[in-house]
Amino acid sequence: MLQTYKINSPYNNLISLRVTPGHFATSSSHINAYIDLTTLKARSSEAKAVAKSMCSEYMATTIVDVIICMDGTDVIGAYLADELTNSGIMCMNQHNTIYVITPEQNSMGQLTFTDNVIPMVRGKHVLLLLATATTGHTVEKALECIDYYGGTIAGISSIFTGTDEIGGYPIHSIFHAKDVDGYASFSSHSCPFCQSGRKLDGLVSTGGLKEL
């Protein structure tokens, strides 16, 4: 049976990672630990704490018109919009309020926005919000999408990251892979677990872990 342990944020005891060591596959890589962020994304008190922590990364001179939420971070995104607004961050929208939106994904895996949402991106300053940023695959797709629809990146925030920057943009995060002892991500072709014949312990998706 898989064992799980917690890593607490030194800044807020409501924010913690639940880490399960093992051999797991995501849509873009194999990893040696599953990082469970479910309650941070779904429980209001924890989501608000995450948003408050993320808000501190942005100066009052930063302009944010829209928060684009990936990986099911919509609840955090709503709280983050409030935190940024209350902190006095600039917003160029007509009603002086920050949009919080999520792209759709088509059958080709491309991220898109519907016609009624496109005006919330075109010409706007975008804060990209993710649960995790490890291989950079999701971030790169999101950046391509935002550029296509005419948005400008104001910042990238993630609860957990395995890298300091992607696509030339710094990743602001609460936890880093360095906080998880021995954390590593591999391509499916170079995974040492697969090469040694060890089977997968589970599949990881935006919704969580499915043990095998």
Side-chain angles (χ1 to χ4, degrees), residues 101-102 113-122:
I101 60 176
T102 301
F113 290 105
T114 54
D115 291 348
N116 58 313
V117 176
I118 291 174
M120 300 180 188
V121 181
R122 185 184 294 124

Side-chain angles (χ1 to χ4, degrees), residues 12 14-15 39-40 42-51 75 79:
N12 192 316
L14 286 176
I15 305 175
T39 61
L40 293 180
R43 190 175 290 163
S44 63
S45 59
E46 294 179 27
K48 188 172 184 177
V50 169
V75 177
Y79 281 122

